[in-house]
Amino acid sequence: MDEDPRALTQRLGRWVPGVRAARTYDRSWLRADLIAGVVLAAILVPQGMAYAELAGLPAVTGLYTTIACLVGYALFGPSRVLVLGPDSSISPLILAALTPLVVAGDDPGKAIVLAGMLAILVGLVEIGLGLGKLGFVADLLSKEVQVGYMNGLAVTIIVSQLPKLFGFSTDADGFVEELQEFVTNLNQTHTATLVVGLAVLAVLLIVPRFTRTVPAILIAVVGVTVVSAALGLSDEGVATVGALPQGVPTPEIPWTDLSDVGPLLLAAIGITLVSLTDTIATATSFAARRGDEVEPDQEMVGMGAANITAGLFQGFAISTSGSRTAVAEQSGAKSQLTGLVGAGLVAVLLLFLNGLLTDLPQAALAAVVIVAAFSLSDLDVLRRYLQVRPSALAISLVATAGVILFGVLEGIVVAVVLAILLFFRRNWWPHGEVLGIADGLPGWHSVRANPGAREVPGVVVYRWEAPLIFANAGIFRQQIRHLVRERRPAWVVLQCEAITDVDVTAAEMLEQLDNELNDAGIHMAFAEMRDRLQDLVFRYGLFETLDRDHFYPTLDTAIAAIEAESRDATPPA
């Protein structure tokens, strides 16, 4: 029997959110989406071109990428307002991935093919993660590592764009060499180019302080293009974009050598990590303001579809843009129709108005990239880290140094390794506290934080604030031994509320430690251990060593039982 068309549409809508969005579209949104799409297109063009050049690719590929990814995400992305496209945090990674694979004498189109294949690989990785419901990979970079990486990326981007802003070029490879060559070649500065670049930079930085009704980038790009054409700046040696190729490319698989796939795949993993981290954070932020729910796994699929579409149309890897999403939202966007309108207008530019930006100076694009780099950096949070947790500041600065000194792709590796080491550090050497009873405060509290807190005579109550696993079992044993030598108690009571796991190594350590304490006349008891962990301890066979009666639901019942047992053991006078 044929399936009900409505049921088929609903099922299709679960896999292709764009179908669901079209079916439930409210016609009253149309005017707002059209207006927002026009405003959005005004920033899609200059940013797309600027970030393409940042990736080492022809400016027009940024426009191809913009069109393709917006259409791909509109079909498969779940968010109603998220705007995707070329991004300042992704473009340097693309450049770093392509540079070793493109050598002198290669076909100029090879970089475009490699970038397209890289975008497809990124898309496949993202779709695989989404279908596998592995959204948690976006959490692999801790906040302090993310901040450090982005700050390093901002510094690297700014330095890379300074030569273009000053009107000359360098052949440097790496941050330090780039900076040295820039300083060395300052005598080659083209004054007219520098004046143009600084003027655009000033507009981009100053206008938003007074108004956000009209995007500063639109004012800057239109203004500098008109001035450039009127004054004939290209005749004065100011490099301009020139006429763009007319039309849009047809879809084509960007075939490349098999030997290139390995390096590209490694780069794709790094790009995926950065892109998804940014995407989930941006999607969560805008969804919270609109009262929507975030679908992390579907976001991955939507991002993957957008990347694959971009790769098929001579584009490159993309990410979510917080600034473009904010512009769309502020302009009244209601749905992904806004992005489709923006993509359509970019296509119109390529099809019929490809000479419109001929006189746009390259220095203006450099200024756009530099301002975008400013938005990547976050110095205020570093000051907060210094005040609340200096170790977080140190980790963030190390991540920054990794990007600056080793490169953006290598910086990703440094950032991930730092995040993993940070995780192990917090579980390898976790915090532990001796607890006591503080006057005027209910419950049990840290003796160190509350100097007036009273300990129960003959009892050490110790709170372990991490899973008890192989990595920290030795530290735990050392701390218990230290407390026993220092206080010489008759009982050690372990408060287990924060313990979420006990692995085989830790179980064996507990058995040995209990035997050791028993030989010294000291008993061990456990309070507030989860039922699941008590069952685990039973399966480990530890109840043959640990007294089953010394597991208590609360600290108060444990202390009461110990005091009662002590009274029973004390002979009458």
Side-chain angles (χ1 to χ4, degrees):
M1 188 173 69
D2 292 339
E3 186 173 0
D4 182 5
R6 295 178 61 181
L8 179 62
T9 302
Q10 289 178 351
R11 191 167 66 178
L12 183 61
R14 286 197 295 269
W15 290 98
V16 187
V19 172
R20 182 178 64 215
R23 187 167 53 86
T24 59
Y25 188 80
D26 188 333
R27 291 186 179 182
S28 64
W29 297 347
L30 182 60
R31 182 174 180 275
D33 278 339
L34 291 175
I35 294 173
V38 173
V39 174
L40 181 62
I43 64 172
L44 290 177
V45 173
Q47 284 191 343
M49 297 171 68
Y51 299 155
E53 297 208 338
L54 182 58
L57 298 165
V60 71
T61 60
L63 303 185
Y64 298 158
T65 302
T66 298
I67 297 170
C69 75
L70 288 174
V71 173
Y73 186 81
L75 286 173
F76 292 95
S79 172
R80 286 191 292 167
V81 296
L82 217 57
V83 177
L84 275 60
D87 189 71
S88 56
S89 66
I90 299 299
S91 290
L93 294 172
I94 298 171
L95 177 62
L98 301 188
T99 300
L101 303 178
V102 180
V103 298
D106 276 339
D107 179 351
K110 182 176 181 180
I112 296 175
V113 172
L114 289 170
M117 178 56 70
L118 177 59
I120 289 176
L121 291 174
V122 170
L124 292 174
V125 171
E126 290 175 337
I127 290 175
L129 292 173
L131 295 178
K133 301 189 181 302
L134 299 174
F136 66 86
V137 298
D139 299 325
L140 283 179
L141 292 181
S142 64
K143 181 62 178 178
E144 57 265 52
V145 171
Q146 288 179 46
V147 169
Y149 173 78
M150 289 300 178
N151 283 338
L153 199 58
V155 173
T156 302
I157 290 172
I158 291 170
V159 169
S160 73
Q161 295 300 302
L162 287 178
K164 187 187 293 185
L165 189 72
F166 279 67
F168 60 87
S169 61
T170 65
D171 295 323
D173 182 18
F175 174 83
V176 175
E177 188 179 342
E178 181 84 57
L179 188 58
Q180 288 175 340
E181 287 208 20
F182 169 70
V183 174
T184 302
N185 292 297
L186 275 175
N187 59 335
Q188 299 181 24
T189 297
H190 189 269
T191 304
T193 299
L194 179 59
V195 170
V196 168
L198 292 178
V200 173
L201 203 59
V203 171
L204 293 175
L205 293 174
I206 294 173
V207 168
R209 297 177 180 270
F210 298 97
T211 179
R212 293 186 180 273
T213 303
V214 181
I217 192 171
L218 176 61
I219 296 173
V221 169
V222 171
V224 76
T225 303
V226 170
V227 169
S228 174
L231 300 181
L233 292 183
S234 60
D235 297 332
E236 301 299 325
V238 176
T240 58
V241 170
L244 299 173
Q246 188 173 30
V248 293
T250 55
E252 182 180 349
I253 297 177
W255 296 110
T256 185
D257 294 338
L258 187 61
S259 60
D260 295 332
V261 174
L264 290 177
L265 182 58
L266 290 177
I269 293 171
I271 290 172
T272 298
L273 192 59
V274 172
S275 176
L276 289 182
T277 299
D278 189 33
T279 296
I280 298 302
T282 303
T284 301
S285 173
F286 281 93
R289 283 160 37 180
R290 298 170 65 91
D292 296 334
E293 291 291 330
V294 176
E295 303 174 46
D297 297 321
Q298 185 61 45
E299 284 292 357
M300 289 187 175
V301 173
M303 287 284 296
N307 270 295
I308 290 176
T309 309
L312 294 175
F313 284 87
Q314 295 184 23
F316 49 89
I318 52 88
S319 183
T320 299
S321 171
S323 61
R324 275 165 278 177
T325 301
V327 167
E329 186 186 54
Q330 291 165 8
S331 302
K334 303 296 183 182
S335 73
Q336 283 297 328
L337 180 60
T338 294
L340 293 177
V341 171
L345 291 175
V346 175
V348 168
L349 170 70
L350 289 170
L351 289 169
F352 307 109
L353 303 170
N354 59 304
L356 188 64
L357 298 174
T358 299
D359 294 301
L360 174 63
Q362 292 280 359
L365 296 181
V368 170
V369 172
I370 289 173
V371 171
F374 287 151
S375 69
L376 291 178
S377 64
D378 192 342
L379 300 181
D380 289 337
V381 75
L382 294 183
R383 286 192 286 269
R384 189 164 69 249
Y385 288 163
L386 178 61
Q387 295 171 355
V388 301
R389 194 159 192 170
S391 62
L393 174 64
I395 291 168
S396 190
L397 293 177
V398 169
T400 298
V403 175
I404 292 174
L405 297 178
F406 304 118
V408 289
L409 279 178
E410 293 80 358
I412 282 284
V413 175
V414 170
V416 172
V417 169
L418 270 177
I420 293 172
L421 289 178
L422 180 62
F423 170 79
F424 277 109
R425 168 64 180 83
R426 289 173 178 168
N427 286 278
W428 208 322
W429 294 289
H431 198 62
E433 292 283 0
V434 175
L435 305 182
I437 301 172
D439 291 335
L441 294 175
W444 294 76
H445 301 274
S446 166
V447 171
R448 180 186 56 81
N450 298 274
R454 302 186 314 278
E455 296 183 53
V456 178
V459 179
V460 170
V461 178
Y462 185 67
R463 179 175 63 210
W464 183 250
E465 300 180 357
L468 197 50
I469 57 176
F470 72 96
N472 56 37
I475 299 294
F476 174 85
R477 179 169 49 205
Q478 290 176 19
Q479 294 189 14
I480 296 297
R481 285 173 174 172
H482 174 74
L483 290 172
V484 168
R485 286 195 302 268
E486 183 183 72
R487 288 171 164 79
R488 300 188 179 280
W491 285 85
V492 173
V493 179
L494 182 62
Q495 202 262 18
C496 305
E497 183 182 17
I499 298 177
T500 57
D501 191 19
V502 178
D503 72 4
V504 174
T505 302
E508 184 176 334
M509 178 275 300
L510 285 175
E511 183 178 19
Q512 294 171 355
L513 182 61
D514 186 53
N515 287 328
E516 179 183 321
L517 294 178
N518 288 341
D519 290 342
I522 302 171
H523 302 286
M524 184 183 290
F526 300 83
E528 302 179 18
M529 178 178 279
R530 302 160 194 255
D531 292 340
R532 174 179 61 84
L533 294 186
Q534 288 193 44
D535 293 339
L536 195 59
V537 168
F538 176 76
R539 292 202 300 273
Y540 286 151
L542 293 189
F543 284 134
E544 296 176 7
T545 305
L546 304 175
D547 193 332
R548 185 188 295 271
D549 294 332
H550 290 167
F551 286 75
Y552 301 97
T554 67
L555 276 178
D556 291 334
T557 56
I559 298 302
I562 288 170
E563 290 176 341
E565 189 172 327
S566 298
R567 286 195 300 270
D568 294 341
T570 302

